[in-house]
Amino acid sequence: MNSVRPPLVDGHGRAIGDVRVSVTDRCNFRCQYCMPAEGLPWLERSDVLTFEEIERLVTLLVQMGVHDVRLTGGEPLVRRDFPVLAARLAAIPGLQDLSVTTNGYLLDRDADALVAAGVHRFNVSIDSLQRDRFFEMTRRDALPRVLAGIERLAAHPEAHPIKINAVAIRGFTEDEVLPFARFAREHPYEVRFIEFMPLDADHTWTPGSVLSGAELRELIGREYPLEEAPREPSATARVYRFADGQGQLGFIDPVSDPFCGDCNRIRLTADGKLRTCLFSHNETDLRTPLRDGSSDDAIDAIIRAAVWRKELKHRVNEPGYVQPLRTMSAIGG
């Protein structure tokens, strides 16, 4: 097996360096911007990629120059023996960064094992710091447990900075902004606001429901002046420091300020479909060649052909935009 392959490049000249790998479509929350209250039909277990299949694909991608892997769901920590998978991926030669996005519900149980496995970057989703409003958004009374899990994780110096993700929805997040700003000042975490995207199962998204990063910065700036930090190429977040140096905030604005031009990301769904954009209407099946005896070189060719067709940009802001069939939980965050 070749340890190095030609770089993975799309038809617009962008080198792909980041893959988001969904390890399950299952989730123990029912967040309003993602899933209906009754949940969604789960994939059959036989349709979900095995650890061996995920490891084989990630190894191939790393050989093509992908250096960052983020493990997502659904909720990745509900996947049985998830820290075992993390350890196997962390051991792949050439992989530089292994991270996890989680709702935090099982962090108190798994934080130690995941850090020991080699995961040193974590994003934890919290949409409110008020217990009743957290319940309203997630349909789970779980805020104390999530905060306890973050404290358990924070005990590991190598896991910092821990990022807290909050989806910004008009009519809800306005009341959360200043409490989150204070939270970022009082704890060694980076709070990041992510604009509400049209990937919800209930299809309630409208352009008017997006609370933009610019509006959030205006609300925070009245109380705590902000200064923008330098932005790294291909970064999704614009990071701002508090002017007095106590803490920082991130703003991910895919709707109001798209960052498609330097996007270096692809996504792998739990059932083995390659997606070249979060908002893609097309997917490439990798599970079938994984299971029909195809060689690594054959799968390499399939991946390259799909990535070459990667979209130049999403079209969320264009007339006639149609939401993808898959919801966020089925794509992978």
Side-chain angles (χ1 to χ4, degrees):
M1 178 188 296
N2 294 328
S3 59
V4 178
R5 296 170 178 269
L8 185 58
V9 179
D10 72 9
H12 308 286
R14 298 171 295 195
I16 304 303
D18 185 311
V19 62
R20 312 293 170 97
V21 179
S22 173
V23 302
T24 180
D25 64 325
R26 296 171 184 251
C27 189
N28 41 16
F29 283 12
R30 297 291 181 270
C31 298
Q32 291 190 31
Y33 52 80
C34 186
M35 299 177 71
E38 66 275 12
L40 293 166
W42 304 131
L43 292 167
E44 295 293 331
R45 293 193 184 277
S46 61
D47 292 335
V48 176
L49 294 186
T50 66
F51 285 5
E52 291 75 17
E53 290 166 339
I54 294 172
E55 184 180 11
R56 183 182 176 194
L57 282 177
V58 171
T59 299
L60 264 175
L61 289 167
V62 171
Q63 291 170 2
M64 297 180 202
V66 171
H67 43 76
D68 290 2
V69 173
R70 175 170 296 279
L71 302 177
T72 70
E75 168 49 39
L77 274 61
V78 304
R79 177 82 186 253
R80 183 174 296 180
D81 295 325
F82 177 61
V84 174
L85 172 64
R88 290 171 65 163
L89 298 183
I92 295 173
L95 179 61
Q96 297 175 13
D97 188 271
L98 180 65
S99 56
V100 168
T101 293
T102 173
N103 62 29
Y105 187 74
L106 296 174
L107 258 183
D108 191 50
R109 183 193 74 183
D110 287 350
D112 298 348
L114 287 170
V115 172
V119 181
H120 294 152
R121 287 206 305 125
F122 293 81
N123 288 14
V124 185
S125 299
I126 302 179
D127 297 303
S128 175
L129 294 170
Q130 302 173 65
R131 188 169 181 172
D132 59 337
R133 303 192 86 229
F134 182 96
F135 174 80
E136 177 188 345
M137 184 57 69
T138 65
R139 304 183 176 107
R140 296 291 184 268
D141 183 16
L143 180 60
R145 180 166 174 167
V146 171
L147 293 175
I150 295 173
E151 289 185 16
R152 181 67 171 260
L153 181 62
H156 296 275
E158 61 269 52
H160 289 268
I162 298 166
K163 295 176 180 176
I164 308 298
N165 290 347
V167 174
I169 302 176
R170 190 175 303 281
F172 182 88
T173 309
E174 293 92 336
D175 293 335
E176 306 298 327
V177 169
L178 289 180
F180 270 124
R182 288 190 287 270
F183 190 69
R185 291 170 62 81
E186 295 165 1
H187 298 83
Y189 313 140
E190 178 186 314
V191 175
R192 308 196 313 170
F193 296 99
I194 304 174
E195 289 179 345
F196 182 26
M197 293 177 282
L199 294 165
D200 58 312
D202 290 329
H203 291 253
T204 60
W205 183 92
T206 65
S209 62
V210 178
L211 184 61
S212 72
E215 292 175 271
L216 292 169
R217 290 189 290 274
E218 165 67 20
L219 289 170
I220 296 167
R222 295 172 191 168
E223 185 81 15
Y224 304 111
L226 300 174
E227 299 174 345
E228 186 169 7
R231 180 174 179 262
E232 297 180 6
S234 302
T236 58
R238 295 188 181 277
V239 177
Y240 285 73
R241 304 186 191 96
F242 292 99
D244 61 8
Q246 292 181 252
Q248 59 185 23
L249 300 168
F251 299 87
I252 301 176
D253 305 336
V255 179
S256 69
D257 187 17
F259 36 82
C260 304
D262 55 5
C263 176
N264 70 339
R265 288 170 294 283
I266 56 176
R267 295 170 184 270
L268 181 66
T269 66
D271 55 347
K273 303 300 192 296
L274 178 68
R275 296 176 64 87
T276 52
C277 174
L278 181 57
F279 301 97
S280 288
H281 286 274
N282 300 306
E283 299 178 335
T284 300
D285 177 21
L286 298 181
R287 187 183 66 203
T288 297
L290 279 171
R291 296 182 179 181
D292 70 5
S294 295
S295 68
D296 284 354
D297 287 345
I299 296 173
D300 175 305
I302 295 170
I303 292 172
R304 288 184 191 280
V307 168
W308 186 255
R309 300 188 299 270
K310 178 173 166 63
E311 299 85 342
L312 177 61
K313 61 178 182 176
H314 69 62
R315 302 187 180 279
V316 171
N317 294 314
E318 297 181 9
Y321 168 78
V322 178
Q323 181 173 328
L325 292 176
R326 284 197 196 243
T327 63
M328 192 68 175
S329 63
I331 294 171

